[in-house]
Amino acid sequence: MVMKPKVVVNGIGAIGKRVAHAVRLQKDMELVGISDVSPTSTLKTNLEPEGPLHGTDLYCSVPDMIEKLRKDMYVKGTLPDLLKSGTVDLVIDCTPEGIGAKNKETYERFGVKSIFQGGEKAGIAEMTFNTFVNYEQAFGKSCVRVPSCNTTSLARTMWAIDNRIGIESVFVSLVRRAVDPWNPSKGPINSIVPDDVPSHHGPDLKTIMPNLNIMTMAVKVPTTLTHVHVVSATLKRDSTTEEVKKVFSETPRITLLKKKDGYTSTSEIIERYRDLGRPRYDMPEVAIWDELVSVIGNKLFWNHAVHSESIVIPENIDCIRAMFGLEKDKWECVKRTNESLGIK
Amino acid sequence: MVMKPKVVVNGIGAIGKRVAHAVRLQKDMELVGISDVSPTSTLKTNLEPEGPLHGTDLYCSVPDMIEKLRKDMYVKGTLPDLLKSGTVDLVIDCTPEGIGAKNKETYERFGVKSIFQGGEKAGIAEMTFNTFVNYEQAFGKSCVRVPSCNTTSLARTMWAIDNRIGIESVFVSLVRRAVDPWNPSKGPINSIVPDDVPSHHGPDLKTIMPNLNIMTMAVKVPTTLTHVHVVSATLKRDSTTEEVKKVFSETPRITLLKKKDGYTSTSEIIERYRDLGRPRYDMPEVAIWDELVSVIGNKLFWNHAVHSESIVIPENIDCIRAMFGLEKDKWECVKRTNESLGIK
Amino acid sequence: MVMKPKVVVNGIGAIGKRVAHAVRLQKDMELVGISDVSPTSTLKTNLEPEGPLHGTDLYCSVPDMIEKLRKDMYVKGTLPDLLKSGTVDLVIDCTPEGIGAKNKETYERFGVKSIFQGGEKAGIAEMTFNTFVNYEQAFGKSCVRVPSCNTTSLARTMWAIDNRIGIESVFVSLVRRAVDPWNPSKGPINSIVPDDVPSHHGPDLKTIMPNLNIMTMAVKVPTTLTHVHVVSATLKRDSTTEEVKKVFSETPRITLLKKKDGYTSTSEIIERYRDLGRPRYDMPEVAIWDELVSVIGNKLFWNHAVHSESIVIPENIDCIRAMFGLEKDKWECVKRTNESLGIK
Amino acid sequence: MVMKPKVVVNGIGAIGKRVAHAVRLQKDMELVGISDVSPTSTLKTNLEPEGPLHGTDLYCSVPDMIEKLRKDMYVKGTLPDLLKSGTVDLVIDCTPEGIGAKNKETYERFGVKSIFQGGEKAGIAEMTFNTFVNYEQAFGKSCVRVPSCNTTSLARTMWAIDNRIGIESVFVSLVRRAVDPWNPSKGPINSIVPDDVPSHHGPDLKTIMPNLNIMTMAVKVPTTLTHVHVVSATLKRDSTTEEVKKVFSETPRITLLKKKDGYTSTSEIIERYRDLGRPRYDMPEVAIWDELVSVIGNKLFWNHAVHSESIVIPENIDCIRAMFGLEKDKWECVKRTNESLGIK
């Protein structure tokens, strides 16, 4: 019988707090602790009696900072001590960009498996993971990277089309929300900021889909709710709008929403998930505007919205199952993860 | 024994959908229907299997529009027919500003009690209601108005200070969020728009607290999350910062949040309620910044945040209890409403 | 000898006030009047002693509204009476979208030539104009349309590349500023709003460049300063980044700005024109980010910024010269217009 | 005969570039150089042939950085060497907040007078200056501070009312634009951020008007164009709206704009100065909304807009005249400065 892997989430920010809660919702794994360095408002709130992480043991990621953290919160011990104790099977590292790379050595020293997020470079891990694309390759791996929100949304949608119809080449213009909604310091307030060409998203997706001929360009705009991708693809054969919509509608974690039903903008899409009572109005699904899917011969165009805060959560859970061999069938894994998170 | 009043909510927008859900959560009243005219995305979503109003009968507010509405949704009948049937005790009118005034005659014709919202003029009803200030005056009334978000937040806080310390005069500068978060059409994007002087908020509060010497001025700014009020009061006697904080902390539906805990902005405050899993991250509490409460002699200053979408919901529920005599004691009523809505 | 055409500008909004001022700056044409219906702040300001239209005769476009307009301003007469007098050769119609179509009959009745803007449908005029593409076709025409800001920027850049290298096909993702900077009412404040697919820009450009294989998609974002276009083109042959930059740098009304010089965003680009003392910081040039121009084989990518308020002004002036045969050589015309407007 | 003081401006950012240009426009002083450390886009643009500082000698403020700066620009020498040469009478320090304090010793070492801006603490200088309040006290001073935009707007308006009517006490709620329009990095995008209580503006104003009983509170909002102040004053005697408007209209550098003329927001006010052809649309005037000025007995209320980038420029020029005794009469000084800057 497979044992329940014991999981620690290091870094309780936008991604970490959601991953930790998602682990808690699974029956075949166990959240044995969370770890951080500062008594942020979000860390405290998540541990309050009404918070989703209430009752979870808190550790200090950096031993030198434990005394300071203890002034504000109850801290059980340091993360290295916990890892040393041999009771942890996996650390999901959700620390800020670049910090993960420094933590890796610690995880390895104590022989603990690890998952890193998209803020870290692809080279940090044995592979970059997407459930649809390479679930089985993660079986038995020790160190895996789950890519960022934008890359994950592209992996899901590109895989769906490439698998069923075939993509010759694809161009994506990413219109990025500049910061998460809670962040009161970063801008721009009234400016559009283009990224370098190509943006890092195309090359990042190639770490998962090496044969995909993709080019990406990105601009940052003053919104907080979701990214929007504008996609122009050349297919390997002619198709129809109906066929493409069918492919999308049959792919999990993709949802088609209609402008005529009132979903004319990203804010109305988010309101849908507020109304549905999703925790934090999370939308791990890629939301594609139904009427904007357009096929002309072998040319395919669409727009989708990416909820940067939550879209990678299901892939993190799937990744655990793959690494520990908890579920051999990827679609069964997707089904279990989706059900636990309320994704239809 | 008191019967459960049968309630219909007319107008399922930002306020109506919340009021309807809140009525559903009470044990001493019954939601027998909701009513609207257009198949908006928010109406549909609330009625989906995962939506908070699933299973509620939908009526069409305007008989002429029923055929159009039926093209998209299942509609049980028209609102006037429902009211005529004698099975409804109360309509909570949450239709857009000015529409309520036109509906009033219908409600009266069928002898059904009604509650109107702050978008309607004070003269529409027998009284304007705030639980803390005039709960008992609503006993047995047929038509009552619950004022807007800004006025409700001022009624709660001013009543608390006036009741325990005494307010000689008060000036409030309201920094208003321009639209609700879901709205993609209204602005401004990069401008500040001052209201007339005085803004309507001061006179509106006087319909509840006629003896309060208050002046209000308002500007509209490009944000969506909450209003912020900047308050400068002259007290009837000297006080201390500690005394005022004690008053606020002992008053229900007011919460003190600390900048040092990370609540430096309205977006971080909203994130708190996302983390706590509140439906739609609602914050019916007035959120006062702890460190910004300042008393110098008989001068009192503070800032508070007002969640425009949800703050009036508890007062609507209280108002039903008062009008139907379901609860004689106002603090008991507050306690029951708060518990049902998860307000500590 | 060619007579100076006598010009009236009808509609003194964002475009009209700039066109009127630009006509005033030319030596070979004469501004004999401006026309409007409402005493807006911008109309008044432009006619103040320090305003750029000071001393210009004001007419009322709609006879019925003259008395109302006269309450606030000195009005010389009605536009129809002026046209009837036979002293006007051309009306440049800059009235709001759709109004121009209603005005056309009036201009025709009095035998006055007309120029319409991009808000009107292409069918309103004998042709849609862009200096680079079809200057000579406008010789002797009676009614010509100058397309919108986005289309004009695409006409300039696509013509430059197509003429010198050849475009097989092109995809453009337009990231649109939602409103002009002065507008305090329209949004969105925090949302991204996708347009239909295709957006109207591609078809509109085809009225000028019928053989161009172009697809456009657009989203609206909460900024006011400029649009940004994200372009992905397939060339008819391989090229190099250097060749493309050379083409752009040799094309008038296109400017290359470097991120390394501090132009990392649209707001820093606009600041350049504030610093240079351009009236209203206008930037009639298309601004291309130098480092973002990228060629890989026969694939070409770039980003440019479009100042929606001013980019069509030079084309309007060129169009007058073409219609009245004031200048036979298009590049000589471009040179004269550019010099008068301070465009290098 | 008074010699023309030779002036250097150190720090060519938002304020420095405007001050340098303003000095150039005066006949009784001479701009002998500007100084900076980095080849920013704004520095380069101002020195371009069309730029307002073209032809001005550039120095490097920090000797160690001259080689790096010379890679991009022509640099005449270092600022210390220039000061040492004895050819400079005054440095206007417009370096970023806190840097001025470090520069002070250099200016003193070479016996050069200095003006600091509001980003520096009041203690840096012999006095904090406002033309209306304490012009004559600056005669012969060596080191003077011109306070920030917000404080300057308050000094002008409070002085006007206090001098003619008398202010018993005043409360100001400042609604601050978060960053200058060119800045693409700072936010918030969708949040309101309250300052501490009291904000620093009240205490800062007291360095100029020590007897004024003032309290200020501030919030930061996601706009870039202007600050807006919401003022509630208690006068020493009853007054009327007419009297107060008369006082404001008779005070230089204050302008009354009417909502009914279309100035309903800060963006429409800024458009006025774009239309008037002001360089960079600068508005050194305090703009008061005419209809919002309200007097009830001895209570006075108003709103004004503060253009943060340009409001302190005239006071900097006045300050030079006062320090060097170039003009004994303050109103004559105001008149000369205003005329040079196009302020009516």
Side-chain angles (χ1 to χ4, degrees), chain B residues 129 131-140 322 328-330:
Chain B
F129 176 86
T131 314
F132 296 177
V133 184
N134 57 18
Y135 181 80
E136 296 82 0
Q137 290 173 33
F139 291 177
K328 293 296 173 193
D329 183 82
K330 84 172 158 187

Side-chain angles (χ1 to χ4, degrees), chain A residues 14 17-18 39-46 48 50-52 72 181-184 189-190 225 260-265 267-268 271-282 307 309 342 344, chain B residues 14 17-18 39-46 48 50-52 72 181-184 189-190 225 260-265 267-268 271-282 307 309 342 344:
Chain A
K17 66 189 178 186
R18 287 172 167 88
T40 62
S41 57
T42 213
L43 176 59
K44 286 183 182 171
T45 307
N46 276 275
E48 284 186 24
E50 298 86 3
D72 269 285
W182 45 269
N183 189 323
I189 288 172
N190 189 30
L225 298 177
K260 81 167 184 58
D261 282 343
Y263 299 109
T264 69
S265 65
S267 55
E268 290 157 311
E271 187 71 5
R272 169 174 174 77
Y273 295 95
R274 293 180 76 198
D275 279 347
L276 290 179
R278 288 270 185 91
R280 302 181 179 98
Y281 66 72
D282 282 354
H307 186 228
E309 298 171 291
K344 291 284 150 182
Chain B
K17 65 189 179 187
R18 287 172 167 88
T40 63
S41 57
T42 214
L43 176 60
K44 286 182 182 172
T45 307
N46 276 275
E48 283 185 25
E50 298 85 4
D72 269 284
W182 45 267
N183 189 323
I189 287 171
N190 188 30
L225 298 177
K260 82 167 183 59
D261 282 343
Y263 300 107
T264 68
S265 65
S267 55
E268 291 157 310
E271 187 72 5
R272 169 175 174 77
Y273 295 95
R274 293 181 75 199
D275 280 346
L276 290 179
R278 288 271 185 92
R280 304 181 177 97
Y281 67 73
D282 282 354
H307 186 229
E309 298 170 291
K344 293 282 149 181

Side-chain angles (χ1 to χ4, degrees), chain D residues 49-244:
Chain D
E50 299 86 3
L53 301 180
H54 183 63
T56 308
D57 289 335
L58 173 65
Y59 295 86
C60 188
S61 313
V62 177
D64 283 356
M65 300 176 82
I66 192 166
E67 289 317 314
K68 189 150 176 262
L69 186 58
R70 274 185 169 150
K71 281 183 187 159
D72 268 284
M73 307 189 71
Y74 175 76
V75 187
K76 192 151 189 199
T78 71
L79 179 61
D81 283 348
L82 174 65
L83 300 184
K84 195 178 181 181
S85 72
T87 56
V88 175
D89 299 305
L90 171 75
V91 177
I92 309 186
D93 188 294
C94 302
T95 58
E97 194 171 323
I99 304 293
K102 296 175 187 165
N103 294 338
K104 193 188 172 189
E105 185 273 334
T106 307
Y107 308 152
E108 284 180 336
R109 189 181 351 138
F110 298 114
V112 176
K113 293 193 179 199
S114 55
I115 294 177
F116 291 93
Q117 305 301 314
E120 303 303 321
K121 299 216 171 91
I124 199 173
E126 294 165 88
M127 67 177 286
T128 295
F129 176 87
N130 179 270
T131 314
F132 296 177
V133 184
N134 57 18
Y135 182 79
E136 296 82 1
Q137 290 172 34
F139 291 178
K141 287 285 188 300
S142 294
C143 180
V144 179
R145 173 177 173 262
V146 174
S148 74
C149 51
N150 283 308
T151 304
T152 295
S153 79
L154 291 173
R156 289 186 197 164
T157 52
M158 294 302 153
W159 178 86
I161 299 299
D162 195 39
N163 191 45
R164 299 266 292 267
I165 305 178
I167 295 177
E168 187 66 37
S169 68
V170 62
F171 174 80
V172 185
S173 162
L174 297 94
V175 182
R176 293 172 50 208
R177 70 91 186 87
V179 289
D180 280 347
W182 46 268
N183 190 323
S185 21
K186 284 195 196 161
I189 287 171
N190 189 30
S191 190
I192 301 176
V193 187
D195 212 331
D196 288 334
V197 177
S199 70
H200 71 277
H201 309 92
D204 196 33
L205 184 58
K206 288 195 169 195
T207 63
I208 303 174
M209 300 176 76
N211 297 320
L212 188 72
N213 181 2
I214 185 168
M215 177 68 176
T216 55
M217 291 170 78
V219 298
K220 198 163 65 174
V221 301
T223 64
T224 67
L225 298 177
T226 80
H227 306 294
V228 169
H229 292 192
V230 182
V231 183
S232 165
T234 302
L235 303 174
K236 287 187 172 159
R237 60 167 170 81
D238 284 5
S239 177
T240 64
T241 300
E242 292 64 38
E243 184 189 21
V244 169

Side-chain angles (χ1 to χ4, degrees), chain B residues 237-250:
Chain B
R237 60 165 170 82
D238 285 4
S239 178
T240 64
T241 300
E242 291 64 39
E243 184 189 21
V244 169
K245 286 189 191 178
K246 190 163 182 290
V247 168
F248 283 144
S249 68
E250 291 171 2

Side-chain angles (χ1 to χ4, degrees), chain A residues 92-103:
Chain A
I92 309 186
D93 187 296
C94 302
T95 57
E97 193 172 323
I99 305 292
K102 297 174 187 164
N103 294 338

Side-chain angles (χ1 to χ4, degrees), chain C residues 9-163:
Chain C
V9 177
N10 185 12
I12 302 301
I15 300 301
K17 65 188 179 186
R18 287 172 167 87
V19 168
H21 184 223
V23 169
R24 260 201 165 185
L25 296 173
Q26 312 307 313
K27 291 176 185 159
D28 52 351
M29 55 191 79
E30 187 185 350
L31 182 72
V32 297
I34 57 175
S35 187
D36 210 310
V37 292
S38 306
T40 62
S41 57
T42 213
L43 176 60
K44 286 182 181 172
T45 307
N46 276 275
L47 288 168
E48 283 186 26
E50 299 85 3
L53 301 180
H54 184 63
T56 308
D57 289 334
L58 172 65
Y59 295 86
C60 188
S61 313
V62 177
D64 284 356
M65 300 176 82
I66 192 166
E67 288 318 313
K68 188 150 176 262
L69 187 56
R70 273 184 169 150
K71 281 183 187 159
D72 269 285
M73 308 188 70
Y74 175 76
V75 187
K76 194 151 187 197
T78 72
L79 179 60
D81 282 349
L82 174 66
L83 300 183
K84 195 178 181 181
S85 73
T87 55
V88 175
D89 300 304
L90 172 74
V91 177
I92 308 186
D93 188 294
C94 302
T95 56
E97 193 172 324
I99 304 291
K102 297 175 187 164
N103 294 337
K104 194 188 171 187
E105 185 272 335
T106 307
Y107 308 152
E108 283 181 335
R109 190 180 351 138
F110 298 115
V112 176
K113 293 193 179 199
S114 55
I115 293 177
F116 291 92
Q117 305 301 314
E120 302 304 320
K121 299 216 171 91
I124 198 173
E126 294 165 88
M127 66 176 285
T128 295
F129 175 87
N130 180 269
T131 313
F132 296 178
V133 183
N134 58 17
Y135 182 79
E136 296 82 0
Q137 290 173 34
F139 291 178
K141 287 286 189 299
S142 293
C143 181
V144 180
R145 174 177 172 263
V146 174
S148 74
C149 52
N150 283 309
T151 304
T152 295
S153 79
L154 290 173
R156 288 186 197 165
T157 51
M158 295 301 152
W159 178 86
I161 299 300
D162 195 38
N163 191 45

